[in-house]
Amino acid sequence: MNFQINFQKAKRNYMTLTFDDEREVDGKIEEYVRVICVGMPKKRVFTALMDMQDVINKRGAAQTETEKNEVNREIIDELYVLMAEVLSNNLKREKITVEWVEEQFTTKEIKDFFEQYIKFANGEVSNPN
């Protein structure tokens, strides 16, 4: 028996994000609307999620306030790295840097994004088409 799967024709859905951003054009800073279409998680995103879970687990092992503060800083740093990884999985294959994420997002906005991204991913997984 011969099976064929053509991934070129597979319909892929994306979560569309819109940002007010700035870029330099002819030596001048201009504002523009940046659109990033983020796809379903791939292996590197799942790996980053597992790394994030490892950092969160350290919080339970921290005993002193100093250790807890250090772990909290590490969690925040990892959140921004994870956000950059997720956003870099986009339709244009554009690399999104941690620095750009740090300039654009508050920790609350990152939390809100991940809540919506998880809903998006779960919805795509449960979609029968």
Side-chain angles (χ1 to χ4, degrees), residues 25-40:
V25 177
D26 298 328
K28 296 179 185 177
I29 301 295
E30 98 178 0
E31 292 184 8
Y32 73 105
V33 175
R34 184 176 195 175
V35 177
I36 301 175
C37 297
V38 179
M40 288 291 289

Side-chain angles (χ1 to χ4, degrees):
M1 213 179 262
N2 188 10
F3 291 98
Q4 292 182 346
I5 300 175
N6 185 347
F7 286 105
Q8 292 174 332
K9 294 182 181 182
K11 182 178 182 262
R12 298 181 189 244
N13 291 326
Y14 292 88
M15 180 179 186
T16 303
L17 308 169
T18 307
F19 304 92
D20 290 328
D21 203 358
E22 296 178 340
R23 63 181 163 205
E24 187 174 330
V25 177
D26 298 328
K28 296 179 185 177
I29 301 295
E30 98 178 0
E31 292 184 8
Y32 73 105
V33 175
R34 184 176 195 175
V35 177
I36 301 175
C37 297
V38 179
M40 288 291 289
K42 295 191 176 150
K43 182 187 179 295
R44 68 184 164 138
V45 172
F46 283 114
T47 299
L49 285 167
M50 287 185 280
D51 291 345
M52 183 68 195
Q53 187 60 50
D54 290 343
V55 173
I56 290 170
N57 290 341
K58 284 186 197 177
R59 177 105 170 65
Q63 295 181 5
T64 67
E65 279 302 309
T66 302
E67 289 173 344
K68 289 177 183 176
N69 288 338
E70 187 176 313
V71 171
N72 286 338
R73 280 188 210 92
E74 192 175 349
I75 288 171
I76 290 170
D77 288 343
E78 286 295 320
L79 272 175
Y80 280 87
V81 169
L82 180 58
M83 183 75 172
E85 283 292 323
V86 169
L87 293 178
S88 292
N89 179 30
N90 62 66
L91 188 58
K92 294 180 182 176
R93 299 177 192 240
E94 177 183 8
K95 175 71 174 152
I96 305 298
T97 65
V98 174
E99 292 77 20
W100 185 83
V101 173
E102 288 173 350
E103 291 175 14
Q104 291 292 322
F105 292 93
T106 65
T107 53
K108 166 106 174 62
E109 290 169 331
I110 288 179
K111 177 185 174 281
D112 293 344
F113 167 79
F114 278 115
E115 287 174 358
Q116 294 303 313
Y117 187 65
I118 288 167
K119 286 179 186 177
F120 162 73
N122 285 338
E124 287 302 304
V125 168
S126 63
N127 185 351
N129 297 327

